[in-house]
Amino acid sequence: MIQQNTPAKILLVEDEEALVDVLSAKLKKEGYNIEVAYNGEEGLVKLKQFQPDLMLLDIVMPKMDGYEVLEKMNEENIKIPVIIISNSGQP
């Protein structure tokens, strides 16, 4: 029996809709399974439900910022690769 590879799952946690649209369209076109959360609280819920292979995480967001998400992941021993994305002009 031949096993079919399932596409990698990526959770995109970003509050800026324009950036979400661009990134999710590009990633879907490349064959990834994408789930989106628009704030850190929603991101943590979807992280547990969706169980992604990778998270793209914004830092500056409403309700819970990216640093708080990373702290919660550490507290709950959730270990997946995270790539920080941010389009803010902050240092």
Side-chain angles (χ1 to χ4, degrees), residues 52-79:
D53 301 301
L54 172 71
M55 180 191 301
L56 300 178
L57 179 64
D58 187 16
I59 294 298
V60 181
M61 293 181 292
K63 295 189 181 181
M64 180 184 286
D65 68 26
Y67 295 117
E68 292 170 302
V69 171
L70 292 170
E71 286 173 7
K72 283 286 191 187
M73 288 174 64
N74 190 43
E75 287 171 13
E76 297 179 24
N77 202 31
I78 299 170
K79 300 203 180 290

Side-chain angles (χ1 to χ4, degrees), residues 2-14:
I2 298 174
Q3 266 188 327
Q4 287 188 328
N5 292 337
T6 57
K9 298 189 300 185
I10 299 175
L11 175 59
L12 174 57
V13 185
E14 167 65 58

